[in-house]
Amino acid sequence: MKKSAISTETQQKAMAMAKATQKPGQTKEQTKLIAAGIEKGIAEYKKQQKAQARQKDKARKQQVKSKQNQHDELASGQEPEYAEQSMMTPVAWTLLLLLGLSWLGFAVYYFN
């Protein structure tokens, strides 16, 4: 894996932060070491942000692809998976039976 070059802007920001937090009696060499640590931290943060952006982009693309496949499946005339299941459960049959009995009872009452 190649080592990425740190931009001059990042180096300048790191040096400015290191100088802003410089303690009295701190040598220039120590300040440079602190600036190098800050640069390393900034580079690591940027890597993490890029990785997160890639993951989000992959998830978004996968979601779009999934929706497209589902749309293509419906457009091609195939029924979705949930259509294979029967919508008439025992409860539904019981309710239909009760409805039929009530209509039958009403008819017997009305015509007698």
Side-chain angles (χ1 to χ4, degrees), residues 20-46:
T21 58
Q22 190 174 12
K23 302 286 183 199
Q26 185 173 320
T27 66
K28 287 184 181 182
E29 197 59 38
Q30 290 171 331
T31 304
K32 286 182 181 179
L33 287 173
I34 292 171
I38 293 171
E39 288 174 19
K40 191 174 182 180
I42 291 171
E44 187 65 30
Y45 175 78
K46 286 181 179 180

Side-chain angles (χ1 to χ4, degrees), residues 50-105:
K50 284 181 182 178
Q52 286 177 354
R54 280 194 303 270
Q55 290 289 46
K56 286 179 184 178
D57 191 46
K58 282 182 185 179
R60 184 188 58 80
K61 284 181 180 179
Q62 188 174 18
Q63 189 176 22
V64 167
K65 186 176 180 180
S66 174
K67 284 182 182 179
Q68 183 64 34
N69 286 344
Q70 187 179 17
H71 177 69
D72 290 346
E73 197 175 275
L74 291 174
S76 67
Q78 295 176 349
E79 293 184 19
E81 294 176 18
Y82 61 86
E84 295 174 11
Q85 297 176 353
S86 175
M87 300 302 262
M88 293 301 288
T89 62
V91 173
W93 284 110
T94 304
L95 291 174
L96 282 173
L97 179 66
L98 287 173
L99 180 65
L101 287 174
S102 67
W103 278 95
L104 182 64

Side-chain angles (χ1 to χ4, degrees), residues 5-15 39 46:
I6 298 174
S7 70
T8 56
E9 181 183 345
T10 302
Q11 290 174 347
Q12 289 171 354
K13 285 182 181 180
M15 187 55 84
E39 288 174 19
K46 286 181 179 180

